[in-house]
Amino acid sequence: MIIILHGAATDQNVDEVVGKLRENGYEANVSRGVERTILGAVGALEEPQKELLAERLTTLPFVERVVPILKPYKLVSREGHPEPSTIPVGDTTVGGRRLCVVAGPCAVESREQILATAADVKAAGATMLRGGAFKPRTSPYDFQGMKEAGLDLLREARQQTGLPIVTEVVDVRDLERVLEVADILQLGTRNMQNFALLSAVGECRTPVILKRGMSATIEEWLKAAEYLMARGNHFVILCERGIRTFETYTRNTLDLSAVPAVKELTHLPVFVDPSHGAGKRSLVGPLSLAAIAAGADGLLIEVHPQPEQAVSDAQQQLTPSEFAVLMSSLRPIVEAVGREV
Ligand code: PEP
Ligand code: MN
């Protein structure tokens, strides 16, 4: 349920409501707006106790209204948190006015490759560097990533450029090591419903990009995000990366309708990954523009010094100069939607 307090409610009033919720086994998520304070209560009281508690709270003079939450994802839902969430990462803020562009190779392949890419994407205006050290590959015979050595190279790339690092964790057993380097953890499409991994990442306070499962509905995706938030990690960024459809011309079908849809349903920032969405270099630019127009807070773009020699996702990675052209082409759209890059 959501408890909306009158504008004049004091900190003491908020504490009183939080206390009453805790007595009844609820956790409270407090959101202080300019006009009023809203508390999201998360717990498992059964009817009719739930109704009884709601009635008791309604009688408090500083409570304006108590609203039951109907959505199955309470913490993720906009019902309990009407303001969009912003997530600070390094010097930047995800979900703020500034568009966030995460760029870099699919996989960290060598020192030269990652350091050169990092310098190039930074020069072109990227906000963060991406690169997989642990790679979730469909075939067990494909390159699985440089693992720890890849993490060390990402750390070096951050030292050289100052760019925050986005990198994927594929296994709970690697989490501690990945956390030493990642400014944002990535949970990939194949792990969207790996509930053990979601729960472990939920215990961390490092922001996380949760990619949409390639066959996941929006509701399943939001419930996966709820796993993270229910464990206390409130720094969740959703990322649409294309879903499976009957179409085979593109690698996936980038579901841009998901961007305004999840923005209606949740307060979380939303990114779009047109590289995996399309799987084709030539489509990355147009889809990036469309994603921004649809309201995306950020983009994930694969960039490689020599895409044709990439050990993974060779078809979709941009060259650094293609990326620089893309960055300048974004500007008019970014400005048209009232943002900056
Ligand atoms: C990636 O970002 O390199 C990746 C593996 O993405 P996805 O999980 O969307 O396939
Ligand atoms: Mn990739």
Side-chain angles (χ1 to χ4, degrees), residues 197-219:
L197 188 55
L198 288 171
S199 297
V201 171
E203 299 291 340
C204 313
R205 298 298 175 262
T206 298
V208 47
I209 292 177
L210 178 66
K211 288 194 158 194
R212 180 179 183 181
M214 62 182 88
S215 301
T217 63
I218 286 174
E219 183 161 323

mmCIF file with all atom_site columns, all heavy atoms in Angstrom, residues 197-219:
data_model
loop_
_atom_site.group_PDB
_atom_site.id
_atom_site.type_symbol
_atom_site.label_atom_id
_atom_site.label_alt_id
_atom_site.label_comp_id
_atom_site.label_asym_id
_atom_site.label_entity_id
_atom_site.label_seq_id
_atom_site.pdbx_PDB_ins_code
_atom_site.Cartn_x
_atom_site.Cartn_y
_atom_site.Cartn_z
_atom_site.occupancy
_atom_site.B_iso_or_equiv
_atom_site.pdbx_formal_charge
_atom_site.auth_seq_id
_atom_site.auth_comp_id
_atom_site.auth_asym_id
_atom_site.auth_atom_id
_atom_site.pdbx_PDB_model_num
ATOM 1   N N   . LEU A 1 197 ? 21.219 -15.164 -8.857  1.00 0.00 ? 197 LEU A N   1
ATOM 2   C CA  . LEU A 1 197 ? 22.086 -14.030 -9.205  1.00 0.00 ? 197 LEU A CA  1
ATOM 3   C C   . LEU A 1 197 ? 21.379 -12.702 -8.894  1.00 0.00 ? 197 LEU A C   1
ATOM 4   O O   . LEU A 1 197 ? 21.983 -11.773 -8.342  1.00 0.00 ? 197 LEU A O   1
ATOM 5   C CB  . LEU A 1 197 ? 22.465 -14.121 -10.696 1.00 0.00 ? 197 LEU A CB  1
ATOM 6   C CG  . LEU A 1 197 ? 23.514 -13.147 -11.217 1.00 0.00 ? 197 LEU A CG  1
ATOM 7   C CD1 . LEU A 1 197 ? 24.813 -13.227 -10.419 1.00 0.00 ? 197 LEU A CD1 1
ATOM 8   C CD2 . LEU A 1 197 ? 23.810 -13.419 -12.695 1.00 0.00 ? 197 LEU A CD2 1
ATOM 9   N N   . LEU A 1 198 ? 20.093 -12.628 -9.216  1.00 0.00 ? 198 LEU A N   1
ATOM 10  C CA  . LEU A 1 198 ? 19.322 -11.403 -8.908  1.00 0.00 ? 198 LEU A CA  1
ATOM 11  C C   . LEU A 1 198 ? 19.339 -11.126 -7.408  1.00 0.00 ? 198 LEU A C   1
ATOM 12  O O   . LEU A 1 198 ? 19.534 -9.987  -6.980  1.00 0.00 ? 198 LEU A O   1
ATOM 13  C CB  . LEU A 1 198 ? 17.868 -11.551 -9.373  1.00 0.00 ? 198 LEU A CB  1
ATOM 14  C CG  . LEU A 1 198 ? 17.596 -11.515 -10.874 1.00 0.00 ? 198 LEU A CG  1
ATOM 15  C CD1 . LEU A 1 198 ? 16.147 -11.896 -11.153 1.00 0.00 ? 198 LEU A CD1 1
ATOM 16  C CD2 . LEU A 1 198 ? 17.899 -10.150 -11.464 1.00 0.00 ? 198 LEU A CD2 1
ATOM 17  N N   . SER A 1 199 ? 19.155 -12.171 -6.619  1.00 0.00 ? 199 SER A N   1
ATOM 18  C CA  . SER A 1 199 ? 19.123 -11.970 -5.168  1.00 0.00 ? 199 SER A CA  1
ATOM 19  C C   . SER A 1 199 ? 20.480 -11.519 -4.660  1.00 0.00 ? 199 SER A C   1
ATOM 20  O O   . SER A 1 199 ? 20.573 -10.633 -3.813  1.00 0.00 ? 199 SER A O   1
ATOM 21  C CB  . SER A 1 199 ? 18.693 -13.252 -4.458  1.00 0.00 ? 199 SER A CB  1
ATOM 22  O OG  . SER A 1 199 ? 17.378 -13.575 -4.856  1.00 0.00 ? 199 SER A OG  1
ATOM 23  N N   . ALA A 1 200 ? 21.550 -12.128 -5.177  1.00 0.00 ? 200 ALA A N   1
ATOM 24  C CA  . ALA A 1 200 ? 22.905 -11.749 -4.729  1.00 0.00 ? 200 ALA A CA  1
ATOM 25  C C   . ALA A 1 200 ? 23.213 -10.306 -5.130  1.00 0.00 ? 200 ALA A C   1
ATOM 26  O O   . ALA A 1 200 ? 23.740 -9.528  -4.330  1.00 0.00 ? 200 ALA A O   1
ATOM 27  C CB  . ALA A 1 200 ? 23.933 -12.703 -5.319  1.00 0.00 ? 200 ALA A CB  1
ATOM 28  N N   . VAL A 1 201 ? 22.864 -9.931  -6.343  1.00 0.00 ? 201 VAL A N   1
ATOM 29  C CA  . VAL A 1 201 ? 23.111 -8.550  -6.793  1.00 0.00 ? 201 VAL A CA  1
ATOM 30  C C   . VAL A 1 201 ? 22.199 -7.586  -6.026  1.00 0.00 ? 201 VAL A C   1
ATOM 31  O O   . VAL A 1 201 ? 22.565 -6.444  -5.766  1.00 0.00 ? 201 VAL A O   1
ATOM 32  C CB  . VAL A 1 201 ? 22.930 -8.446  -8.331  1.00 0.00 ? 201 VAL A CB  1
ATOM 33  C CG1 . VAL A 1 201 ? 22.958 -6.997  -8.804  1.00 0.00 ? 201 VAL A CG1 1
ATOM 34  C CG2 . VAL A 1 201 ? 24.023 -9.246  -9.049  1.00 0.00 ? 201 VAL A CG2 1
ATOM 35  N N   . GLY A 1 202 ? 21.032 -8.083  -5.633  1.00 0.00 ? 202 GLY A N   1
ATOM 36  C CA  . GLY A 1 202 ? 20.119 -7.273  -4.823  1.00 0.00 ? 202 GLY A CA  1
ATOM 37  C C   . GLY A 1 202 ? 20.700 -6.919  -3.460  1.00 0.00 ? 202 GLY A C   1
ATOM 38  O O   . GLY A 1 202 ? 20.353 -5.901  -2.865  1.00 0.00 ? 202 GLY A O   1
ATOM 39  N N   . GLU A 1 203 ? 21.623 -7.749  -2.966  1.00 0.00 ? 203 GLU A N   1
ATOM 40  C CA  . GLU A 1 203 ? 22.263 -7.463  -1.669  1.00 0.00 ? 203 GLU A CA  1
ATOM 41  C C   . GLU A 1 203 ? 23.320 -6.359  -1.798  1.00 0.00 ? 203 GLU A C   1
ATOM 42  O O   . GLU A 1 203 ? 23.762 -5.802  -0.809  1.00 0.00 ? 203 GLU A O   1
ATOM 43  C CB  . GLU A 1 203 ? 22.958 -8.715  -1.103  1.00 0.00 ? 203 GLU A CB  1
ATOM 44  C CG  . GLU A 1 203 ? 22.040 -9.901  -0.826  1.00 0.00 ? 203 GLU A CG  1
ATOM 45  C CD  . GLU A 1 203 ? 21.093 -9.669  0.341   1.00 0.00 ? 203 GLU A CD  1
ATOM 46  O OE1 . GLU A 1 203 ? 21.371 -8.785  1.164   1.00 0.00 ? 203 GLU A OE1 1
ATOM 47  O OE2 . GLU A 1 203 ? 20.053 -10.367 0.401   1.00 0.00 ? 203 GLU A OE2 1
ATOM 48  N N   . CYS A 1 204 ? 23.765 -6.087  -3.034  1.00 0.00 ? 204 CYS A N   1
ATOM 49  C CA  . CYS A 1 204 ? 24.803 -5.059  -3.242  1.00 0.00 ? 204 CYS A CA  1
ATOM 50  C C   . CYS A 1 204 ? 24.150 -3.690  -3.339  1.00 0.00 ? 204 CYS A C   1
ATOM 51  O O   . CYS A 1 204 ? 22.945 -3.578  -3.510  1.00 0.00 ? 204 CYS A O   1
ATOM 52  C CB  . CYS A 1 204 ? 25.538 -5.275  -4.560  1.00 0.00 ? 204 CYS A CB  1
ATOM 53  S SG  . CYS A 1 204 ? 26.065 -6.934  -4.848  1.00 0.00 ? 204 CYS A SG  1
ATOM 54  N N   . ARG A 1 205 ? 24.976 -2.674  -3.277  1.00 0.00 ? 205 ARG A N   1
ATOM 55  C CA  . ARG A 1 205 ? 24.455 -1.317  -3.485  1.00 0.00 ? 205 ARG A CA  1
ATOM 56  C C   . ARG A 1 205 ? 25.085 -0.671  -4.714  1.00 0.00 ? 205 ARG A C   1
ATOM 57  O O   . ARG A 1 205 ? 25.000 0.540   -4.902  1.00 0.00 ? 205 ARG A O   1
ATOM 58  C CB  . ARG A 1 205 ? 24.667 -0.458  -2.220  1.00 0.00 ? 205 ARG A CB  1
ATOM 59  C CG  . ARG A 1 205 ? 23.917 -1.001  -0.991  1.00 0.00 ? 205 ARG A CG  1
ATOM 60  C CD  . ARG A 1 205 ? 22.399 -1.019  -1.197  1.00 0.00 ? 205 ARG A CD  1
ATOM 61  N NE  . ARG A 1 205 ? 21.691 -1.644  -0.093  1.00 0.00 ? 205 ARG A NE  1
ATOM 62  C CZ  . ARG A 1 205 ? 21.274 -2.915  -0.081  1.00 0.00 ? 205 ARG A CZ  1
ATOM 63  N NH1 . ARG A 1 205 ? 21.497 -3.712  -1.124  1.00 0.00 ? 205 ARG A NH1 1
ATOM 64  N NH2 . ARG A 1 205 ? 20.639 -3.401  0.970   1.00 0.00 ? 205 ARG A NH2 1
ATOM 65  N N   . THR A 1 206 ? 25.723 -1.476  -5.522  1.00 0.00 ? 206 THR A N   1
ATOM 66  C CA  . THR A 1 206 ? 26.269 -0.990  -6.797  1.00 0.00 ? 206 THR A CA  1
ATOM 67  C C   . THR A 1 206 ? 25.109 -0.955  -7.803  1.00 0.00 ? 206 THR A C   1
ATOM 68  O O   . THR A 1 206 ? 24.337 -1.908  -7.867  1.00 0.00 ? 206 THR A O   1
ATOM 69  C CB  . THR A 1 206 ? 27.374 -1.957  -7.292  1.00 0.00 ? 206 THR A CB  1
ATOM 70  O OG1 . THR A 1 206 ? 28.408 -1.964  -6.322  1.00 0.00 ? 206 THR A OG1 1
ATOM 71  C CG2 . THR A 1 206 ? 27.939 -1.539  -8.636  1.00 0.00 ? 206 THR A CG2 1
ATOM 72  N N   . PRO A 1 207 ? 24.986 0.138   -8.567  1.00 0.00 ? 207 PRO A N   1
ATOM 73  C CA  . PRO A 1 207 ? 23.903 0.184   -9.548  1.00 0.00 ? 207 PRO A CA  1
ATOM 74  C C   . PRO A 1 207 ? 23.981 -0.985  -10.531 1.00 0.00 ? 207 PRO A C   1
ATOM 75  O O   . PRO A 1 207 ? 25.072 -1.517  -10.770 1.00 0.00 ? 207 PRO A O   1
ATOM 76  C CB  . PRO A 1 207 ? 24.136 1.520   -10.275 1.00 0.00 ? 207 PRO A CB  1
ATOM 77  C CG  . PRO A 1 207 ? 24.921 2.349   -9.327  1.00 0.00 ? 207 PRO A CG  1
ATOM 78  C CD  . PRO A 1 207 ? 25.763 1.386   -8.541  1.00 0.00 ? 207 PRO A CD  1
ATOM 79  N N   . VAL A 1 208 ? 22.840 -1.333  -11.067 1.00 0.00 ? 208 VAL A N   1
ATOM 80  C CA  . VAL A 1 208 ? 22.794 -2.486  -11.967 1.00 0.00 ? 208 VAL A CA  1
ATOM 81  C C   . VAL A 1 208 ? 21.914 -2.191  -13.184 1.00 0.00 ? 208 VAL A C   1
ATOM 82  O O   . VAL A 1 208 ? 20.854 -1.591  -13.058 1.00 0.00 ? 208 VAL A O   1
ATOM 83  C CB  . VAL A 1 208 ? 22.329 -3.760  -11.198 1.00 0.00 ? 208 VAL A CB  1
ATOM 84  C CG1 . VAL A 1 208 ? 21.133 -3.497  -10.345 1.00 0.00 ? 208 VAL A CG1 1
ATOM 85  C CG2 . VAL A 1 208 ? 22.048 -4.916  -12.122 1.00 0.00 ? 208 VAL A CG2 1
ATOM 86  N N   . ILE A 1 209 ? 22.446 -2.586  -14.342 1.00 0.00 ? 209 ILE A N   1
ATOM 87  C CA  . ILE A 1 209 ? 21.646 -2.520  -15.576 1.00 0.00 ? 209 ILE A CA  1
ATOM 88  C C   . ILE A 1 209 ? 21.030 -3.898  -15.749 1.00 0.00 ? 209 ILE A C   1
ATOM 89  O O   . ILE A 1 209 ? 21.756 -4.894  -15.876 1.00 0.00 ? 209 ILE A O   1
ATOM 90  C CB  . ILE A 1 209 ? 22.526 -2.166  -16.796 1.00 0.00 ? 209 ILE A CB  1
ATOM 91  C CG1 . ILE A 1 209 ? 23.035 -0.729  -16.698 1.00 0.00 ? 209 ILE A CG1 1
ATOM 92  C CG2 . ILE A 1 209 ? 21.738 -2.379  -18.098 1.00 0.00 ? 209 ILE A CG2 1
ATOM 93  C CD1 . ILE A 1 209 ? 23.978 -0.307  -17.820 1.00 0.00 ? 209 ILE A CD1 1
ATOM 94  N N   . LEU A 1 210 ? 19.717 -3.947  -15.734 1.00 0.00 ? 210 LEU A N   1
ATOM 95  C CA  . LEU A 1 210 ? 19.015 -5.222  -15.904 1.00 0.00 ? 210 LEU A CA  1
ATOM 96  C C   . LEU A 1 210 ? 18.467 -5.283  -17.323 1.00 0.00 ? 210 LEU A C   1
ATOM 97  O O   . LEU A 1 210 ? 17.495 -4.601  -17.662 1.00 0.00 ? 210 LEU A O   1
ATOM 98  C CB  . LEU A 1 210 ? 17.869 -5.335  -14.890 1.00 0.00 ? 210 LEU A CB  1
ATOM 99  C CG  . LEU A 1 210 ? 17.023 -6.607  -15.010 1.00 0.00 ? 210 LEU A CG  1
ATOM 100 C CD1 . LEU A 1 210 ? 17.838 -7.860  -14.678 1.00 0.00 ? 210 LEU A CD1 1
ATOM 101 C CD2 . LEU A 1 210 ? 15.792 -6.524  -14.088 1.00 0.00 ? 210 LEU A CD2 1
ATOM 102 N N   . LYS A 1 211 ? 19.111 -6.119  -18.140 1.00 0.00 ? 211 LYS A N   1
ATOM 103 C CA  . LYS A 1 211 ? 18.643 -6.257  -19.515 1.00 0.00 ? 211 LYS A CA  1
ATOM 104 C C   . LYS A 1 211 ? 17.370 -7.101  -19.563 1.00 0.00 ? 211 LYS A C   1
ATOM 105 O O   . LYS A 1 211 ? 17.207 -8.034  -18.766 1.00 0.00 ? 211 LYS A O   1
ATOM 106 C CB  . LYS A 1 211 ? 19.738 -6.869  -20.369 1.00 0.00 ? 211 LYS A CB  1
ATOM 107 C CG  . LYS A 1 211 ? 20.878 -5.891  -20.625 1.00 0.00 ? 211 LYS A CG  1
ATOM 108 C CD  . LYS A 1 211 ? 21.741 -6.414  -21.725 1.00 0.00 ? 211 LYS A CD  1
ATOM 109 C CE  . LYS A 1 211 ? 22.540 -5.330  -22.379 1.00 0.00 ? 211 LYS A CE  1
ATOM 110 N NZ  . LYS A 1 211 ? 23.097 -5.819  -23.641 1.00 0.00 ? 211 LYS A NZ  1
ATOM 111 N N   . ARG A 1 212 ? 16.531 -6.760  -20.512 1.00 0.00 ? 212 ARG A N   1
ATOM 112 C CA  . ARG A 1 212 ? 15.290 -7.526  -20.672 1.00 0.00 ? 212 ARG A CA  1
ATOM 113 C C   . ARG A 1 212 ? 15.611 -8.909  -21.238 1.00 0.00 ? 212 ARG A C   1
ATOM 114 O O   . ARG A 1 212 ? 16.370 -9.025  -22.206 1.00 0.00 ? 212 ARG A O   1
ATOM 115 C CB  . ARG A 1 212 ? 14.369 -6.782  -21.632 1.00 0.00 ? 212 ARG A CB  1
ATOM 116 C CG  . ARG A 1 212 ? 13.058 -7.485  -21.876 1.00 0.00 ? 212 ARG A CG  1
ATOM 117 C CD  . ARG A 1 212 ? 12.200 -6.667  -22.817 1.00 0.00 ? 212 ARG A CD  1
ATOM 118 N NE  . ARG A 1 212 ? 10.914 -7.275  -23.027 1.00 0.00 ? 212 ARG A NE  1
ATOM 119 C CZ  . ARG A 1 212 ? 9.989  -6.771  -23.822 1.00 0.00 ? 212 ARG A CZ  1
ATOM 120 N NH1 . ARG A 1 212 ? 10.226 -5.640  -24.466 1.00 0.00 ? 212 ARG A NH1 1
ATOM 121 N NH2 . ARG A 1 212 ? 8.836  -7.374  -23.972 1.00 0.00 ? 212 ARG A NH2 1
ATOM 122 N N   . GLY A 1 213 ? 15.047 -9.927  -20.658 1.00 0.00 ? 213 GLY A N   1
ATOM 123 C CA  . GLY A 1 213 ? 15.203 -11.284 -21.192 1.00 0.00 ? 213 GLY A CA  1
ATOM 124 C C   . GLY A 1 213 ? 14.718 -11.310 -22.634 1.00 0.00 ? 213 GLY A C   1
ATOM 125 O O   . GLY A 1 213 ? 13.725 -10.656 -22.963 1.00 0.00 ? 213 GLY A O   1
ATOM 126 N N   . MET A 1 214 ? 15.385 -12.075 -23.472 1.00 0.00 ? 214 MET A N   1
ATOM 127 C CA  . MET A 1 214 ? 15.049 -12.026 -24.906 1.00 0.00 ? 214 MET A CA  1
ATOM 128 C C   . MET A 1 214 ? 13.640 -12.554 -25.198 1.00 0.00 ? 214 MET A C   1
ATOM 129 O O   . MET A 1 214 ? 13.083 -12.251 -26.250 1.00 0.00 ? 214 MET A O   1
ATOM 130 C CB  . MET A 1 214 ? 16.104 -12.749 -25.738 1.00 0.00 ? 214 MET A CB  1
ATOM 131 C CG  . MET A 1 214 ? 16.257 -14.204 -25.438 1.00 0.00 ? 214 MET A CG  1
ATOM 132 S SD  . MET A 1 214 ? 17.564 -14.924 -26.428 1.00 0.00 ? 214 MET A SD  1
ATOM 133 C CE  . MET A 1 214 ? 18.999 -14.628 -25.402 1.00 0.00 ? 214 MET A CE  1
ATOM 134 N N   . SER A 1 215 ? 13.079 -13.303 -24.256 1.00 0.00 ? 215 SER A N   1
ATOM 135 C CA  . SER A 1 215 ? 11.690 -13.755 -24.445 1.00 0.00 ? 215 SER A CA  1
ATOM 136 C C   . SER A 1 215 ? 10.825 -13.353 -23.258 1.00 0.00 ? 215 SER A C   1
ATOM 137 O O   . SER A 1 215 ? 9.831  -14.022 -22.959 1.00 0.00 ? 215 SER A O   1
ATOM 138 C CB  . SER A 1 215 ? 11.644 -15.274 -24.620 1.00 0.00 ? 215 SER A CB  1
ATOM 139 O OG  . SER A 1 215 ? 12.420 -15.641 -25.737 1.00 0.00 ? 215 SER A OG  1
ATOM 140 N N   . ALA A 1 216 ? 11.210 -12.293 -22.584 1.00 0.00 ? 216 ALA A N   1
ATOM 141 C CA  . ALA A 1 216 ? 10.476 -11.886 -21.374 1.00 0.00 ? 216 ALA A CA  1
ATOM 142 C C   . ALA A 1 216 ? 9.421  -10.834 -21.700 1.00 0.00 ? 216 ALA A C   1
ATOM 143 O O   . ALA A 1 216 ? 9.666  -9.916  -22.489 1.00 0.00 ? 216 ALA A O   1
ATOM 144 C CB  . ALA A 1 216 ? 11.451 -11.329 -20.341 1.00 0.00 ? 216 ALA A CB  1
ATOM 145 N N   . THR A 1 217 ? 8.273  -10.972 -21.070 1.00 0.00 ? 217 THR A N   1
ATOM 146 C CA  . THR A 1 217 ? 7.267  -9.924  -21.164 1.00 0.00 ? 217 THR A CA  1
ATOM 147 C C   . THR A 1 217 ? 7.717  -8.758  -20.279 1.00 0.00 ? 217 THR A C   1
ATOM 148 O O   . THR A 1 217 ? 8.597  -8.920  -19.421 1.00 0.00 ? 217 THR A O   1
ATOM 149 C CB  . THR A 1 217 ? 5.899  -10.398 -20.643 1.00 0.00 ? 217 THR A CB  1
ATOM 150 O OG1 . THR A 1 217 ? 6.048  -10.709 -19.245 1.00 0.00 ? 217 THR A OG1 1
ATOM 151 C CG2 . THR A 1 217 ? 5.404  -11.627 -21.388 1.00 0.00 ? 217 THR A CG2 1
ATOM 152 N N   . ILE A 1 218 ? 7.080  -7.633  -20.479 1.00 0.00 ? 218 ILE A N   1
ATOM 153 C CA  . ILE A 1 218 ? 7.419  -6.467  -19.654 1.00 0.00 ? 218 ILE A CA  1
ATOM 154 C C   . ILE A 1 218 ? 7.150  -6.788  -18.182 1.00 0.00 ? 218 ILE A C   1
ATOM 155 O O   . ILE A 1 218 ? 7.937  -6.442  -17.306 1.00 0.00 ? 218 ILE A O   1
ATOM 156 C CB  . ILE A 1 218 ? 6.639  -5.228  -20.152 1.00 0.00 ? 218 ILE A CB  1
ATOM 157 C CG1 . ILE A 1 218 ? 7.279  -4.747  -21.462 1.00 0.00 ? 218 ILE A CG1 1
ATOM 158 C CG2 . ILE A 1 218 ? 6.610  -4.118  -19.096 1.00 0.00 ? 218 ILE A CG2 1
ATOM 159 C CD1 . ILE A 1 218 ? 6.563  -3.622  -22.166 1.00 0.00 ? 218 ILE A CD1 1
ATOM 160 N N   . GLU A 1 219 ? 6.063  -7.480  -17.916 1.00 0.00 ? 219 GLU A N   1
ATOM 161 C CA  . GLU A 1 219 ? 5.757  -7.789  -16.510 1.00 0.00 ? 219 GLU A CA  1
ATOM 162 C C   . GLU A 1 219 ? 6.817  -8.696  -15.883 1.00 0.00 ? 219 GLU A C   1
ATOM 163 O O   . GLU A 1 219 ? 7.227  -8.491  -14.739 1.00 0.00 ? 219 GLU A O   1
ATOM 164 C CB  . GLU A 1 219 ? 4.361  -8.414  -16.393 1.00 0.00 ? 219 GLU A CB  1
ATOM 165 C CG  . GLU A 1 219 ? 4.013  -8.662  -14.943 1.00 0.00 ? 219 GLU A CG  1
ATOM 166 C CD  . GLU A 1 219 ? 2.535  -8.839  -14.677 1.00 0.00 ? 219 GLU A CD  1
ATOM 167 O OE1 . GLU A 1 219 ? 1.720  -8.157  -15.315 1.00 0.00 ? 219 GLU A OE1 1
ATOM 168 O OE2 . GLU A 1 219 ? 2.213  -9.672  -13.810 1.00 0.00 ? 219 GLU A OE2 1
#
